[in-house]
């Protein structure tokens, strides 16, 4: 009787293990990132050459599986009289302290490749600001709650 129960338990555990190994898992999803951006999420700027003007879009999301990290997606939306580029400077303050990081984006008159930065902000409330460097237009900022 005891042998039968043990054998049944082992068979059930093996079947569950085989099913679990055969199942595909969904990719990790980012946690929602509560945020408020009072000045929008687009930088309007002059490029670094040819007297060109352009726009740079920035989006923020929580890094999946990495508490305290924020992913900043920086996309040049195109430059008139391009190709041109800009250095985008990020500064932030959160529970991890005050930090900054720069990224360079480049494109012609069509949207360019998105560059993603991993910003270690820390968990809890934070403020992130972005502007072109040297400063050539208005900045954008976010008040966020980082999971």
């Amino acid at each position: 009787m005891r042998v039968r129960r043990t054998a049944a338990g082992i068979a059930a555990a093996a079947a569950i293990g085989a099913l679990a190994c055969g199942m595909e898992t969904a990719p990790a999803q980012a946690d929602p990132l509560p945020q408020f951006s009072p000045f929008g999420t687009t930088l309007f700027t002059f490029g670094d050459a040819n007297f060109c003007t352009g726009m740079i879009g920035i989006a923020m999301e929580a890094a999946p599986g990495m508490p305290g990290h924020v992913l900043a997606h920086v996309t040049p939306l195109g430059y008139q009289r391009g190709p041109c580029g800009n250095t985008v400077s990020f500064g932030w303050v959160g529970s991890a302290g005050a930090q900054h990081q720069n990224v360079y984006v480049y494109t012609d008159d069509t949207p360019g490749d998105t560059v993603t930065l991993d910003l270690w902000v820390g968990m809890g409330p934070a403020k992130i600001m972005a502007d072109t460097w040297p400063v050539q237009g208005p900045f954008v900022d976010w008040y966020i709650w980082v999971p």
Side-chain angles (χ1 to χ4, degrees):
M1 184 78 158
R2 187 173 205 185
V3 173
R4 227 182 283 166
R5 284 186 198 161
T6 303
I10 291 173
I16 291 171
L19 285 174
C21 290
M23 291 181 181
E24 291 187 32
T25 58
Q29 297 294 317
D31 290 330
L33 185 62
Q35 56 186 290
F36 172 65
S37 183
F39 300 113
T41 60
T42 304
L43 292 172
F44 300 96
T45 186
F46 295 98
D48 61 2
N50 302 329
F51 300 105
C52 55
T53 59
M55 299 183 306
I56 301 169
I58 303 173
M60 300 285 174
E61 75 171 335
M66 297 175 65
H69 288 258
V70 174
L71 299 178
H73 304 288
V74 184
T75 306
L77 301 175
Y79 290 91
Q80 295 175 339
R81 293 190 239 46
C84 285
N86 279 105
T87 298
V88 178
S89 183
F90 286 88
W92 63 92
V93 63
S95 64
Q99 300 178 36
H100 78 281
Q101 187 172 349
N102 294 336
V103 63
Y104 187 79
V105 293
Y106 186 84
T107 191
D108 54 13
D109 60 349
T110 60
D113 295 331
T114 298
V115 178
T116 300
L117 298 174
D118 181 5
L119 311 176
W120 181 52
V121 176
M123 297 173 69
K127 178 178 179 167
I128 300 175
M129 293 179 66
D131 202 353
T132 57
W133 185 257
V135 176
Q136 300 173 0
F139 66 93
V140 293
D141 65 347
W142 294 262
Y143 297 91
I144 60 176
W145 187 272
V146 184

